[in-house]
Structures are given as C-alpha cells and as structure tokens.
Amino acid sequence: MSKRIAGPEIERLIQLLAKVPGLGPRSARRAALHLIKKKDQLLSPLANAMGEAVEKVRICSTCGNVDTADPCMICTDPRRDDATLIVVEDVSDLWALERASAMNVRYHVLGGTLSPLDGIGPDQLNIRSLVDRIAGGTVKEVILAVNATVEGQTTAHYITDQLSGFDVKVTRLAHGVPVGGELDYLDEGTLAAALKSRTTF
Amino acid sequence: MSKRIAGPEIERLIQLLAKVPGLGPRSARRAALHLIKKKDQLLSPLANAMGEAVEKVRICSTCGNVDTADPCMICTDPRRDDATLIVVEDVSDLWALERASAMNVRYHVLGGTLSPLDGIGPDQLNIRSLVDRIAGGTVKEVILAVNATVEGQTTAHYITDQLSGFDVKVTRLAHGVPVGGELDYLDEGTLAAALKSRTTF
C-alpha cells in the first residue's frame, strides 16, 4: 500500500501473508481482512498452530521427512514394509505418494536433485544417509520416485551407481499415459514410452 | 489426508490454512510445507504477526474500520477533510478506495447491506452511528460508495431517507466505462449509464 491505512501490525501481517505460496499481494490483503474478521474462529487458532509448528516441527534424521517427532511417524510405523524404500526428491513428493496410498513402505527424502551449476552435489543431498540405510541390509528394493526431469534422471543414475555394490533391486516409476489423460494433449516422449511399455488388455 | 502421514500439529496447520481465502486443501498443503521449510524466515514471523493481530486488532468505534487503535488511524489523521464522509459496505472497500488515493477524507463502514431475507435490517448495520455522525453537523457531503448491486442500491436509498432531515449533500459514485475497459465486454446497463452521463471531451 502506498499510503498507510492501518497500524503497522496489520501491514506486517499482509506483507508476510503475501509470501505464502498461493497468495499474492492482493489476495494477502483479502486473507488478512478475512482472518481479522474471524479472529476467534480462525486467526487465533492459526496463530497457535503456527507457533506450535515452529516449536515442534523437525527433520527426521532417518529419512529426511518433516514431522513433529524424530524419527518421524512413517519411520516408526510398525505396519510398514522395511524391505522396500521409495526415494523422493522432496517431502511434497512423499506426501503425494502417501495420499495415493499405493504402498505401505518406507521413504527416503533426498532434499533436491543433483545440479552442479547451482552448486548442488551429492554432499548437499541426503545420498550418504541413503547408502548407509541400504548398507544395513534390510532393504531389498529401492524405488526411485524422482521427477521425470533431466535433473531427476541424472540423480537417479547417480544413486543407481552408488548402490551397485549392494544386493538391492533398483526400480523406477513407470512412464505412461496419466489416468484420465487425453492422448491428444500428451507429448511425444510420453506417448512413445506408453507404447513401448504397453501391457496386455 | 486419508492416511495420517505427519504429526497432528502439521495436519491441524494444513486444515486451518485451507480455510484462508485464496487457499484450498491442496494449496494449503503446499503452503504448510513451504512455511515449515522456511521456519525462521517466514513461519515464525507470521505466527508472531498473527498473534499480535489477535491481541491488538479492534473495530474502530467511530467508523467501523479495523485497526490496532481505536479510534483508527484514518479517524485520527489530522490532515483529512472532516466535511466529506465516504460510506462503504465493507473494510475491503475502504482499503480499495484508499489504495486509489482518490480523496483524503473520512469513512464510515456499514458492515454489510440491507438484506431482509438474511435477517439483516438497519439495526444489524452501522447506520445509527452514521446518522449520529451526520447529526454532529461537521459533515457537508456523504458519498455513498456502496456496490452497484440491488442490495447496495437498496441500502443507499434507505440511508438517503435517513439523512433527508439533515443539511448534508448525499452523492453516489459515477457509473460508466471502467478505465482500460473495452466497450464490447460491457453490459448494456453500464453502457447506457455511460452514454447518459457523457462529458465534454
């Protein structure tokens, strides 16, 4: 705002809300006003929830997930299969896979992808701890669920190399047509991969 | 999330963030993860800013604006013209007019529009306090900057009635073509109003 129309506390709230992904300067003002109007039902509980998150959230020292416990809920869940480990780039990927509820297994969060130009080498990612986990001998299959980008694939190749000395199967996610997707809108690479990996009907 | 993948504190944060206008369930997860990753730069300051807003924000007893002071910054600003009062439905309208910086005057926030079907009569809005302000005698012009909706116009007519006994000029915002707008996309009502209120070039 060019002109100050409210106390500094409200303007600071708007400025900080504008940094939340999904909100811009304009929607941050709307959000701030809504929060202020619903002070008791929303603003106050949200302030408390955030304060608690600041206090309690930590990175799991085993898998790199974020949680309020270390080791995290997934690492300590006794009903999960220890023999399978899904490697993801980011916690958001772990959450996405968990929402799909596809497999009841363990995870390992790399924290990014190899990107030499940005100064991100193997030491900046959780690759050493991954190798250590595999060296433990319990894991029989590592599923590389990295993004299908150049960086993701480079990282996948590097990890495969690092794990070549261990008795572990390394797999990757299937390429193909997204469920509900229309062929017309798909790129050639995906279509070619989907054709190549066709299955019996 | 169907399956619990993180501590209750994180899930509560996501649930509350999803209630912020502009964020849905999906973007709330993204926002929560971003906030957690930027704990010191964003989550912690935002939690504090919200806590402070909970503590300090109040409704201005003079005009109905929200601020951390009562009377608010606008009501106490000595450089504003006391003779002109802009009546708006909501604080967001006040903020929008202030951003336009069109006039350095005072405001009065109604807190809604008359809507008998929803049980909103004159007593549910800040109309009594508006009449009291006008009765003070300082205000010479009341600009009804209510929305150009049926409810807004009904409210405007009611207020005009209430103020008919006082020596005060009641005006409303001009109807016309929005600046930067294309005639082709405008409704007939706006075009007719713009033609009727045409000015010399």
Side-chain angles (χ1 to χ4, degrees), chain A residues 11-12 16 25 32 34-35 40 46 59 65 82 118 123 140 168 177 182 188:
Chain A
E11 300 207 355
R12 181 156 170 72
L16 287 167
H34 183 84
L35 288 169
D40 296 331
L46 190 53
I59 308 289
N65 188 14
D82 282 319
D118 301 320
D123 295 339
K140 298 298 169 212
V168 67
V177 181
E182 296 183 38
E188 292 80 7

Side-chain angles (χ1 to χ4, degrees), chain B residues 6 49 69 74 128 130 133 136 142 150 172 177 189 191:
Chain B
I74 290 177
R128 166 96 356 243
L130 172 64
R133 282 179 89 176
V142 171
V150 174
R172 65 158 179 79
V177 182
L191 279 177

Side-chain angles (χ1 to χ4, degrees), chain B residues 46-187:
Chain B
L46 190 54
N48 291 336
M50 286 184 172
E52 243 187 322
V54 170
E55 288 284 305
K56 296 192 180 169
V57 166
R58 54 211 70 236
I59 308 289
C60 174
S61 53
T62 306
C63 74
N65 187 14
V66 293
D67 201 349
T68 44
D70 178 17
C72 73
M73 274 181 59
I74 290 177
C75 285
T76 51
D77 185 348
R79 288 158 305 172
R80 286 177 186 261
D81 177 12
D82 282 319
T84 311
L85 192 71
I86 302 186
V87 174
V88 292
E89 291 179 17
D90 196 277
V91 177
S92 56
D93 302 326
L94 187 163
W95 287 10
L97 286 166
E98 277 296 298
R99 281 200 303 281
S101 289
M103 293 182 87
N104 212 16
V105 298
R106 312 277 178 197
Y107 290 88
H108 195 84
V109 181
L110 295 174
T113 46
L114 292 175
S115 179
L117 286 177
D118 301 320
I120 301 178
D123 294 339
Q124 276 70 50
L125 304 178
N126 300 325
I127 292 182
R128 166 96 356 243
S129 56
L130 172 64
V131 175
D132 289 346
R133 282 179 89 176
I134 305 307
T138 319
V139 179
K140 298 299 168 211
E141 179 178 0
V142 171
I143 305 174
L144 297 174
V146 291
N147 290 334
T149 56
V150 174
E151 291 82 9
Q153 296 312 305
T154 309
T155 312
H157 281 295
Y158 180 83
I159 291 174
T160 311
D161 258 13
Q162 296 293 306
L163 300 181
S164 59
F166 300 102
D167 179 25
V168 67
K169 193 168 132 194
V170 180
T171 56
R172 65 158 179 79
L173 295 184
H175 287 308
V177 182
V179 176
E182 295 183 39
L183 298 196
D184 199 17
Y185 291 97
L186 278 176
D187 63 295

Side-chain angles (χ1 to χ4, degrees), chain A residues 116-134:
Chain A
L117 286 177
D118 301 320
I120 301 178
D123 295 339
Q124 276 71 50
L125 304 178
N126 300 325
I127 292 182
R128 166 96 354 242
S129 57
L130 172 64
V131 175
D132 289 347
R133 282 179 89 176
I134 305 307

